[in-house]
Amino acid sequence: IPTGIIGDRIGKKWSVLCGIGCALLAWIPWLMAEDIWMFGVAFALLGVSQAFISGSDQALLYELLSSKGKSSEMKRVYGLYLSMSTMGYAIAGLAGGFLSINHTLPEFIQLYVLTAIAQGFAFLLYLSVKEPKATVDVTDEVVTSMKILKSSMRLFVDSSNLRRIIVLSLLTTPFSVALFTLFQPYFVSSGVP
């Protein structure tokens, strides 16, 4: 919600660009990390990156379609968008496996550099997007992100069950991401190529 407020104020395109920028900045502590805290900074930047992009990309896509009178095609176009994203992950995963076949540090650094280059290219590509004027007035009291944020904070304060769920999510989600990301060496040590 906080990044949605920023997207409403400065534009969805700029929110996505902030997200890509945070992802690019995350490479600095990631490549300099010598302890868990620097990796924590990198993952925090990646989390902020996802928060800026999530929802703003969908809203921008909808606004682009609406500006051309094609808002009814949102489901199909968004499905294509997600399919292309999944295909990109698949191709990157296969290419990464091929390029890091020996699991050496120079190979992994090469992958990091290629990823940063791809993110830089995405940043430049998004700069060329011309964001149409929003089809919804964000100052309307019914749709403001600030109103949603205030309501959410009231719910958080008033509901002990909601607080437990949020704390549980905060404690477990990073570990599942770390396990998903870092389990590769365990496969190798178990003899799985």
Side-chain angles (χ1 to χ4, degrees):
I1 292 174
T3 55
I5 294 170
I6 294 169
D8 286 345
R9 298 290 182 241
I10 65 172
K12 307 326 183 265
K13 169 186 169 177
W14 294 104
S15 182
V16 172
L17 283 168
C18 286
I20 296 170
C22 285
L24 285 166
L25 285 174
W27 287 111
I28 296 168
W30 184 268
L31 293 173
M32 295 174 50
E34 293 182 4
D35 58 30
I36 189 83
W37 301 108
M38 287 298 281
F39 284 113
V41 169
F43 275 107
L45 283 168
L46 289 172
V48 170
S49 166
Q50 288 302 309
F52 269 113
I53 295 170
S54 178
S56 288
D57 57 347
Q58 295 171 40
L60 179 59
L61 185 58
Y62 182 79
E63 288 173 3
L64 287 166
L65 288 170
S66 288
S67 71
K68 297 178 187 296
K70 297 181 179 185
S71 59
S72 63
E73 294 186 34
M74 179 63 180
K75 280 185 182 179
R76 184 185 66 77
V77 173
Y78 187 63
L80 181 63
Y81 169 78
L82 291 178
S83 297
M84 294 296 109
S85 176
T86 301
M87 187 180 299
Y89 279 116
I91 291 169
L94 291 172
F98 179 76
L99 293 172
S100 64
I101 199 145
N102 296 313
H103 300 113
T104 63
L105 184 58
E107 288 175 339
F108 286 113
I109 290 174
Q110 177 186 19
L111 293 177
Y112 296 146
V113 168
L114 289 172
T115 302
I117 289 170
Q119 289 171 335
F121 180 71
F123 187 89
L124 294 174
L125 190 62
Y126 252 99
L127 281 174
S128 70
V129 171
K130 297 199 183 338
E131 183 172 0
K133 186 168 174 68
T135 56
V136 176
D137 181 9
V138 296
T139 60
D140 183 353
E141 189 63 26
V142 176
V143 296
T144 62
S145 298
M146 189 58 84
K147 183 177 179 183
I148 295 170
L149 179 61
K150 288 176 184 175
S151 171
S152 300
M153 294 307 293
R154 270 194 303 278
L155 280 173
F156 178 78
V157 169
D158 294 341
S159 173
S160 61
N161 286 334
L162 180 60
R163 284 193 303 273
R164 274 191 229 113
I165 291 169
I166 290 172
V167 169
L168 181 63
S169 296
L170 287 171
L171 293 175
T172 58
T173 302
F175 292 114
S176 61
V177 170
L179 287 173
F180 178 75
T181 307
L182 303 175
F183 69 91
Q184 310 299 341
Y186 296 106
F187 278 141
V188 173
S189 67
S190 299
V192 177

